[in-house]
Amino acid sequence: MMPMHGVPANGGTRGDVQAASAAGTHAPVSIVFADMDDTFLATDKTVPAGNLALLDRMGEKGVPFVPCTGRVWSAVAGQVLEHAATHYVVASDGAVVMDVRDARGPRRLHLSALGRKRALALYERVRELPVTFDAFWDGKIYVSRRRFELMRGFDIPPYDRDMYLRYRTPVDVSTPQLLESLPNVERLTIFTGDDDVRARAIEAVAADPTLHYTYSSARNLEVMDAGTSKGAAVRWLCDHLGIPRTQSVGFGDSPNDLTMLAAVGDGVAVANAYPEAKAAATHVAPWTCDESAVARYLEPLL
């Protein structure tokens, strides 16, 4: 086995990791989970060539690759979603686990939903705030058009804003009417334009102890059932597949990845990760998302 090039998050040296890897102490890699934006995907939302090559190698070796994302499952980059190595997707921050290779078409295996009732109640607490209120359900993100248009004025990096706008479905009804029309709600995203509004939105979420929030940017809140997280979904899928979590590796960069990094056997933060993600990780890779960090970390282990 070639040496592993990660840096221990606890302050160890790269040489420490290389020696441990050379001694064969890393568990076999039987499944890989990876956040998409700013982790597996480059800053510009493309898939780095090294990561595409990694998927080919994982497909050859029969090691499943699982996007573990805050996106809805259908918004995973096509080159990743359609790749033979990608059999499952953990989506909507863990609210949904999908089998995307079922012969009958994509099939939901697991659901941990926020639901319409709590979504409506939360909306009543934020209705006077200038925020978006995006409802995730069944591979789509729905938002009242009036609130959808607010996002254009928020201070959001262009690549992120373009992605957010592309994958949302604006509808010409009020938010309560929209929520009432949906069979269910997996989770919600609230985008805010400034820190004061964000603080008030956080207070509105905290008023219901059955909910919790995380985030992947300074301008969004990702709201879900208190028992829903990427980590909970990772544990569920490993148990469902009979794969020991000690044989899993996960990659992330944001606060919404913290539970996933803790749930896998080896949680790896990319070099451009938030400080919170680096602190929660087992190892910190010395490469950014733009440098194929996932592939460069995993190649020696495969």
Side-chain angles (χ1 to χ4, degrees):
M1 179 183 292
M2 295 172 61
M4 181 171 63
H5 301 293
V7 179
N10 62 8
T13 67
R14 182 178 299 181
D16 293 333
V17 182
Q18 291 175 333
S21 182
T25 58
H26 196 285
V29 178
S30 298
I31 191 168
V32 174
F33 298 90
D35 171 58
M36 291 288 99
D37 296 290
D38 298 317
T39 298
F40 195 79
L41 302 184
T43 305
D44 65 1
K45 308 302 177 185
T46 61
V47 185
N51 286 348
L52 279 177
L54 170 74
L55 292 181
D56 292 340
R57 188 171 183 192
M58 292 180 66
E60 293 169 359
K61 290 183 169 291
V63 177
F65 177 80
V66 183
C68 196
T69 179
R71 299 185 183 206
V72 287
W73 68 267
S74 62
V76 172
Q79 292 170 296
V80 178
L81 188 64
E82 296 163 12
H83 198 284
T86 305
H87 200 124
Y88 306 98
V89 175
V90 170
S92 298
D93 278 335
V96 177
V97 180
M98 296 290 298
D99 180 344
V100 295
R101 288 291 171 271
D102 190 283
R104 296 162 292 181
R107 180 169 62 96
R108 186 169 58 236
L109 299 177
H110 178 69
L111 175 65
S112 178
L114 183 153
R116 286 183 300 169
K117 182 177 179 181
R118 286 182 293 174
L120 282 162
L122 176 58
Y123 180 73
E124 287 303 312
R125 297 194 294 274
V126 302
R127 78 156 50 236
E128 302 303 323
L129 298 179
V131 298
T132 70
F133 202 84
D134 310 332
F136 289 51
W137 175 247
D138 198 24
K140 290 189 176 182
I141 306 171
Y142 300 95
V143 56
S144 172
R145 188 177 300 278
R146 181 176 70 85
R147 293 190 178 272
F148 173 80
E149 294 298 334
L150 291 173
M151 190 183 298
R152 300 185 191 278
F154 294 162
D155 182 19
I156 298 172
Y159 287 123
D160 290 330
R161 181 189 290 109
D162 290 348
M163 184 267 290
Y164 297 146
L165 294 173
R166 184 184 318 123
Y167 291 115
R168 275 154 176 76
T169 301
V171 294
D172 294 312
V173 299
S174 69
T175 299
Q177 289 172 322
L178 164 62
L179 295 173
E180 290 283 10
S181 73
L182 296 176
N184 206 336
V185 176
E186 295 162 6
R187 76 165 184 87
L188 302 165
T189 291
I190 297 172
F191 278 91
T192 64
D194 61 58
D195 292 343
D196 177 65
V197 172
R198 180 182 178 85
R200 293 167 65 188
I202 289 173
E203 290 177 0
V205 175
D208 183 347
T210 72
L211 302 178
H212 78 117
Y213 78 91
T214 184
Y215 59 96
S216 54
S217 85
R219 295 273 67 92
N220 80 342
L221 300 175
E222 301 168 11
V223 185
M224 62 210 80
D225 178 83
T228 301
S229 68
K230 290 185 180 183
V234 163
R235 291 191 294 271
W236 183 91
L237 184 57
C238 285
D239 290 346
H240 176 73
L241 298 175
I243 296 175
R245 276 185 279 135
T246 54
Q247 297 179 15
S248 64
V249 182
F251 297 84
D253 76 290
S254 298
N256 72 356
D257 298 317
L258 299 184
T259 59
M260 181 263 289
L261 293 172
V264 295
D266 184 10
V268 183
V270 294
N272 55 284
Y274 280 67
E276 302 96 309
K278 291 180 178 179
T282 311
H283 296 106
V284 178
W287 309 284
T288 69
C289 62
D290 294 315
E291 299 170 317
S292 299
V294 174
R296 294 173 76 170
Y297 185 92
L298 277 177
E299 281 170 357
L301 301 180
L302 295 176

